Structures are given as structure tokens and as C-alpha cells.
Amino acid sequence: MTPTMDLYQRLLEHFGPQKWWPAETRFEMMVGAILTQNVNWNNVETAIDNLKKEGCLTPMSIWEIEKAHLEELIRPTGFYRQKAARLKRLSRCVLENGGVDHFLRQENLRDALLEIKGIGPETADSIALYAGDRPIFVVDAYTMRIVKRAFGFEGSYDDVQDYFQNTVPTDIEIYKEFHALLVRLGKENCSKRSPVCDGCPVNPLCLLRKPSASIF
Ligand code: SF4
């Protein structure tokens, strides 16, 4: 078993399945992936609820709604002006490509997403994996921190993505679950400033494991 699969098994055993992405439709997943940039998920849920109450969770409704109104609905997520503009650009792109299903089925989905101003690799990969069912490993700040601490592996977004994609079987369900589990570990144990190594399920593997946080 590779160290990454060992990590996966330990996380799954400890936290159980996370069943991501929490959304009723694929387009809601796409919207959530944009709204969650730089904010915690509770704020995203509030914004998604606002959009639902307004009947504004389709590409057409987001494209048509007045931008100032959209900004108000998603204000809880912060950076709401930029995010509203991103949602409008994404919606236009989806509409121009024949709707959600057609958009998500296109061969070069990741490239198409990256061409939308304001959508970076993490957001594009989240949409490609969770909404588009593409075998792409999502990397975020939690993932970078955990592989650095646990395995001493450091690199760019692409390096870390390759690291996982080369050592984890190409299985969409594993990719989905693995990313969610890394986020859970990052929140519950492996935080930026005060990692809780005692009781961390990765402790037996981790290069930086310590009974106290003294080395941080
Ligand atoms: S043992 Fe500590 S440093 Fe290692 S993954 Fe767990 S919380 Fe992070």
C-alpha cells in the first residue's frame, strides 16, 4: 500500500465517509465551489439558502439577476462583488455551451473552467471532480499542509496533484472522499497554528508527529 493510500484508509476509518459534495444539483455544486473560496462552509450555506429562496440557482437566473441583488444574496461569503462577477461569467459560459449537462460533458472541461476569469485550479478541479465526475485530485491549502507535515512533500499545486494522482488509484469516488477527508483532518487536527497531534489518525505515519505542539 502506498503512503497516500495508508493515509486515506486511516482517515476513512477515523472520520467515516464525508459524502461530498453537499448539493442538490450539479449547478449548485458549481456555485458552491466558487462561493467557498476563502470562507468557511457555514457562510456558503447561508448564501446558497438565499439563492434558493430567490429561485436563483440556475445558470439563466444567475445570468439574468441584477448584479447588485446577486451581491446582496451572496454577501455572507465575503468578496461578494468578485464572486458575483465569477458566478455571472460561469453562468454565461454554461449557457453558451448548451446548459449544465453539455458544459460538464465537454472533453476539455478543466481548461474551459480555467479560462473563466477568477476560476483557479482548486475551483476548477473541485467542479471537474464533484460536478463533472472527472478523475482529478483536488488540492487545497489543507492538502498542501498535511502532505508537507506528514510526508515532508512540498511543491506547487501541480506537484502535489501529481503526487496524489500517481499514488492513489484513479477512482473518482476515492478522489471525492479523499479530498473531503483531508479537509476534515485540516479542520479538526492539522490546523495551521495549533495542530492537535494527540489522537490524530495520521499520527503513526506523520514525520512531524509530536505529543505536544512544541515544534510548531
Ligand atoms: S500528527 Fe499532527 S502534524 Fe501530523 S497530520 Fe496529524 S495533526 Fe498534522
Side-chain angles (χ1 to χ4, degrees):
M1 186 188 294
T2 62
T4 45
M5 282 309 287
D6 193 0
L7 169 65
Y8 175 69
Q9 295 296 351
R10 286 171 189 275
L11 294 177
L12 189 59
E13 202 170 301
H14 186 78
F15 292 120
Q18 303 298 295
K19 299 188 171 77
W20 274 25
W21 188 286
E24 289 174 12
T25 66
R26 289 180 190 268
F27 187 67
E28 185 182 322
M29 281 180 201
M30 297 161 80
V31 170
I34 287 179
L35 295 181
T36 199
Q37 294 166 346
N38 303 306
V39 73
N40 72 50
W41 186 253
N42 289 342
N43 299 50
V44 177
E45 282 182 332
T46 304
I48 296 269
D49 282 348
N50 291 344
L51 292 168
K52 278 185 183 165
K53 282 181 200 146
E54 202 70 19
C56 192
L57 258 179
T58 63
M60 184 59 81
S61 58
I62 286 184
W63 175 241
E64 286 184 340
I65 192 173
E66 193 187 337
K67 185 156 175 281
H69 191 182
L70 179 60
E71 289 172 358
E72 273 313 302
L73 295 173
I74 65 167
R75 185 188 273 264
T77 65
F79 305 100
Y80 55 91
R81 289 202 176 91
Q82 294 99 314
K83 289 180 181 177
R86 285 169 199 165
L87 288 179
K88 280 196 167 282
R89 284 193 288 268
L90 173 70
S91 297
R92 188 181 67 192
C93 195
V94 169
L95 291 168
E96 286 173 352
N97 281 276
V100 175
D101 290 344
H102 273 91
F103 177 81
L104 290 173
R105 271 204 296 268
Q106 63 187 300
E107 197 178 337
N108 299 317
L109 175 61
R110 186 180 196 259
D111 293 339
L113 287 161
L114 288 171
E115 278 175 16
I116 300 172
K117 189 178 164 204
I119 292 190
E122 183 187 334
T123 305
D125 290 341
S126 295
I127 292 173
L129 175 63
Y130 290 101
D133 283 327
R134 302 301 171 94
I136 295 174
F137 202 93
V138 179
V139 175
D140 64 358
Y142 293 122
T143 311
M144 299 270 225
R145 184 159 72 236
I146 292 163
V147 289
K148 183 177 173 189
R149 287 174 176 174
F151 300 137
F153 187 90
E154 218 174 336
S156 66
Y157 185 100
D158 291 348
D159 293 337
V160 174
Q161 187 172 59
D162 287 347
Y163 179 71
F164 278 93
Q165 291 186 170
N166 290 332
T167 55
V168 175
T170 309
D171 181 311
I172 292 166
E173 295 312 315
I174 292 178
Y175 280 14
K176 287 180 178 177
E177 197 58 63
F178 206 159
H179 173 62
L181 287 163
L182 288 166
V183 171
R184 179 85 183 261
L185 179 71
K187 286 181 175 168
E188 293 208 6
N189 293 90
C190 204
S191 66
K192 194 171 181 180
R193 291 202 172 77
S194 311
V196 182
C197 299
D198 291 343
C200 170
V202 185
N203 193 308
L205 297 178
C206 185
L207 293 176
L208 287 183
R209 67 185 184 272
K210 288 280 172 186
S212 74
S214 59
I215 62 165
F216 298 94

